Amino acid sequence: MKSLIRWGATLGLVGGTLFGSISAPAPALALSEDEILQKLASVPVFAITDAEGSPLIASISNPQSGNGRTEVAGVFMNPQDANRFVERLTQEQPEMAGFVQVTVVSLAEIYRLEQSQQNNAIEFSYVPTRQEVESAVSVLLDSGREDELLQQNGEYTYPGVPLFMATAGPDQGYMTVELDGEVVIPLFFDREDLDNVIARFQEQQPDFAATVQTDVVQLEGVLETLRNENNEVMEQLMFVPHSESLEFVGNMMRQMQQQQQQQLQLQPGEGASPLPGSAR
């Protein structure tokens, strides 16, 4: 499989102005592949790879497949979870130390790899954080939607990676933000990030404060809808990465820049032509 491309995009937190609830959006055509990739490009995720960037593959039993096995690559939503996985793996299998690493990629690259495969040779398994799963379970239980949850060992769990959004107003329209002149519907990977935005909204529009409700949808289901359905809401969706993931990637990029600067050594040049506008 082609190596995963390392993360290199410029990152930024949502800085739009809270706009309020929105009525039904204008009809839109189904999103193209490029439009989907553009929506996913700002979301960092964390894969376990070898030194060349090829993903670590696990072969698991799957009676439903023809050969009884499925090749699976894990994609973590949180860098700490990915690091803990590598630590546990190298403790259990010391020969893997120095061979595996956590590689940051964009969700767009994972999506592109999924779509480029023939016969789904490798299945990408998205690994949510425990905290966000617990938050999703709480949201669904509070709204009486137990049927959307799974039960494992007598406890409820959320089946997939949860995305959090908010509704408000008498008709419970989607809450939106205005960003660069466009009205978008944000989907948050972090419940706490959404709560912070809701708090600002309730301060700005106290008349709507009591009507605000938190909802949860599944990342895997949203990706399926983006890919296969002509849904008018899809064009306005915006994925908001986990703030901890953005901080992790920002710190990593700053460290890389510092290392590169330390390695640079100026040397006297000879015979170079003068640059336009220079005095020499």
Side-chain angles (χ1 to χ4, degrees):
M1 165 173 281
K2 181 180 178 180
S3 297
L4 298 176
I5 298 176
R6 291 181 180 273
W7 182 264
T10 302
L11 301 176
L13 293 173
V14 175
T17 302
L18 200 62
F19 188 81
S21 59
I22 187 173
S23 57
L29 298 176
L31 272 64
S32 67
E33 193 78 358
D34 286 343
E35 289 172 324
I36 295 174
L37 293 174
Q38 185 176 1
K39 285 184 178 294
L40 303 178
S42 63
V43 180
V45 293
F46 306 88
I48 312 303
T49 72
D50 61 19
E52 284 71 39
S54 297
L56 184 68
I57 305 299
S59 180
I60 63 174
S61 176
N62 182 4
Q64 296 180 350
S65 66
N67 58 7
R69 310 289 295 181
T70 297
E71 306 296 315
V72 178
V75 179
F76 292 82
M77 299 296 110
N78 183 283
Q80 284 75 27
D81 290 341
N83 283 323
R84 280 192 288 267
F85 177 87
V86 169
E87 291 174 1
R88 187 169 63 251
L89 177 65
T90 53
Q91 287 175 357
E92 295 175 355
Q93 303 182 44
E95 69 275 10
M96 299 292 287
F99 176 76
V100 294
Q101 62 186 6
V102 176
T103 299
V104 188
V105 297
S106 75
L107 185 56
E109 178 65 7
I110 298 297
Y111 179 87
R112 188 193 64 77
L113 288 172
E114 283 187 298
Q115 300 309 301
S116 65
Q117 293 185 91
Q118 294 183 354
N119 301 321
N120 295 323
I122 297 177
E123 178 179 322
F124 288 89
S125 177
Y126 297 103
V127 183
T129 65
R130 178 183 295 273
Q131 179 179 349
E132 304 313 329
V133 168
E134 292 175 350
S135 293
V137 170
S138 176
V139 168
L140 293 178
L141 289 179
D142 289 345
S143 57
R145 294 159 58 188
E146 295 90 344
D147 58 326
E148 297 180 34
L149 298 170
L150 299 177
Q151 286 199 33
Q152 293 181 354
N153 301 322
E155 296 183 356
Y156 284 112
T157 187
Y158 189 76
V161 174
L163 298 172
F164 300 93
M165 59 193 306
T167 60
D171 298 326
Q172 287 298 300
Y174 296 118
M175 288 182 65
T176 66
V177 294
E178 185 176 346
L179 189 66
D180 296 332
E182 295 185 6
V183 177
V184 297
I185 303 170
L187 296 175
F188 291 80
F189 282 82
D190 183 3
R191 166 77 182 275
E192 186 175 347
D193 289 341
L194 172 59
D195 287 344
N196 291 335
V197 174
I198 289 175
R200 293 202 303 270
F201 169 76
Q202 291 174 326
E203 291 178 357
Q204 295 171 7
Q205 301 194 33
D207 293 341
F208 285 93
T211 69
V212 177
Q213 296 184 14
T214 299
D215 197 4
V216 60
V217 294
Q218 186 195 61
L219 170 64
E220 294 87 341
V222 172
L223 294 178
E224 186 73 16
T225 302
L226 285 171
R227 183 165 54 244
N228 296 323
E229 294 187 19
N230 186 6
N231 191 311
E232 61 188 13
V233 176
M234 294 298 105
E235 186 176 356
Q236 290 187 282
L237 293 183
M238 180 185 70
F239 294 90
V240 184
H242 199 295
S243 55
E244 289 185 6
S245 297
L246 293 177
E247 182 179 359
F248 177 89
V249 174
N251 290 337
M252 183 186 69
M253 294 179 68
R254 283 191 290 271
Q255 291 174 1
M256 292 174 59
Q257 290 172 349
Q258 291 173 358
Q259 291 174 356
Q260 291 173 351
Q261 291 172 357
Q262 292 171 357
Q263 293 172 357
L264 289 176
Q265 294 182 357
L266 293 178
Q267 300 291 337
E270 297 180 357
S273 301
L275 295 174
S278 67
R280 76 178 184 90

